[in-house]
Amino acid sequence: MAQNDFAARLSDAALKLGVQATPSQLQAMLAYIEQMQRWNRTYNLTAVRDASQMLVQHIFDSLAIFEPLRRALGNANVSLTPTIVDVGSGGGLPGVVLAAMAPSWQVHCVDAVEKKMAFVCQMSGVLRLPNLHAVHARIESLPAFNADIVVSRAFASLRDFAVLAGPHAAQGGRLLAMKGREPVAEIEALKQETDWRVERIESLAVPELDAQRCLVWMSRQGNP
């Protein structure tokens, strides 16, 4: 991996996203890419093989949601140590990036694939992130996390996300789905079949990524 090139690109991406990252936080994300490449050879953590593509499609994409989350948590009536649950986390996306960027957040990565959670558990130690937790389970089988935000990057439709993961959001908590194009049909199914509603859709401009990305914010009907 071209460490200097990647470091410059990551620093530039953080600047474009309005993210204030320390040198140690940037280094943690670069180390994460290195570890993912190493593990991917044996454990097939992600279909993305090229390190440069990992940097953009995984790190930049995950980093793009940090400021929106930080603002939302800052404006909400939440504790000083918010709980974030990353459902269908795979190799820890976006959970590892969020944990690296916000040491005060307790980030729980949940996935049904054991080898992927073994990797996230390893990352908690290697990257020195005591606030990062790996949970090997199906989300619907777990006791409620009472989370401030439950996030999903590539887990399911909005309707299935709400049904399976909605019980883990605290009263007043939110579901946050990372999507490509605005999922019009999924929004209608969510409205028809659950008590969750789309609160807003936030467009994202992910550096170096030539694709549409958006965040779908959801709240329970009746919540602000």
Side-chain angles (χ1 to χ4, degrees):
M1 187 171 81
Q3 186 77 13
N4 291 339
D5 175 58
F6 278 29
R9 289 167 63 191
L10 178 56
S11 180
D12 183 62
L15 189 65
K16 288 177 178 175
L17 292 168
V19 173
Q20 295 184 345
T22 66
S24 63
Q25 288 171 329
L26 295 174
Q27 185 54 47
M29 286 183 275
L30 294 174
Y32 175 44
I33 286 289
E34 286 188 18
Q35 291 290 325
M36 184 177 289
Q37 265 204 304
R38 188 172 301 154
W39 278 61
N40 214 34
R41 297 186 191 108
T42 305
Y43 294 101
N44 193 30
L45 298 174
T46 170
V48 179
R49 300 290 178 183
D50 179 72
S52 182
Q53 289 182 332
M54 284 183 179
L55 184 70
V56 176
Q57 294 181 30
H58 292 336
I59 302 300
F60 294 179
D61 191 51
S62 296
L63 194 60
I65 75 166
F66 174 68
E67 273 300 308
L69 261 72
R70 190 190 63 78
R71 289 194 300 268
L73 291 169
N75 293 334
N77 184 24
V78 299
S79 70
L80 295 177
T81 56
T83 297
I84 313 295
V85 177
D86 174 13
V87 179
S89 182
L93 298 158
V96 172
V97 173
L98 298 178
M101 287 303 305
S104 65
W105 297 358
Q106 293 299 314
V107 180
H108 301 266
C109 294
V110 180
D111 201 280
V113 180
E114 185 174 10
K115 64 186 179 183
K116 294 181 178 180
M117 289 299 93
F119 173 69
V120 172
C121 184
Q122 180 80 355
M123 290 307 93
S124 178
V126 170
L127 304 179
R128 298 179 182 177
L129 299 175
N131 62 324
L132 175 65
H133 313 280
V135 184
H136 169 228
R138 301 186 71 85
I139 187 65
E140 63 269 28
S141 72
L142 295 170
F145 277 100
N146 203 37
D148 297 289
I149 290 179
V150 182
V151 61
S152 160
R153 184 168 181 258
F155 175 61
S157 68
L158 296 182
R159 181 261 179 203
D160 290 348
F161 180 33
V163 169
L164 297 172
H168 294 280
Q171 186 65 31
R174 282 167 172 74
L175 298 180
L176 178 56
M178 300 172 68
K179 293 284 186 180
R181 295 178 182 275
E182 182 177 330
V184 177
E186 291 184 25
I187 292 170
E188 185 59 29
L190 179 80
K191 181 179 178 181
Q192 295 295 329
E193 301 178 40
T194 77
D195 62 348
W196 289 84
R197 298 292 181 270
V198 172
E199 182 181 309
R200 68 183 185 277
I201 298 175
E202 187 171 352
S203 295
L204 295 175
V206 179
E208 297 188 36
L209 185 65
D210 185 22
Q212 285 187 285
R213 298 292 285 153
C214 69
L215 286 179
V216 181
W217 292 84
M218 291 168 278
S219 58
R220 288 187 182 91
Q221 193 170 17
N223 285 347

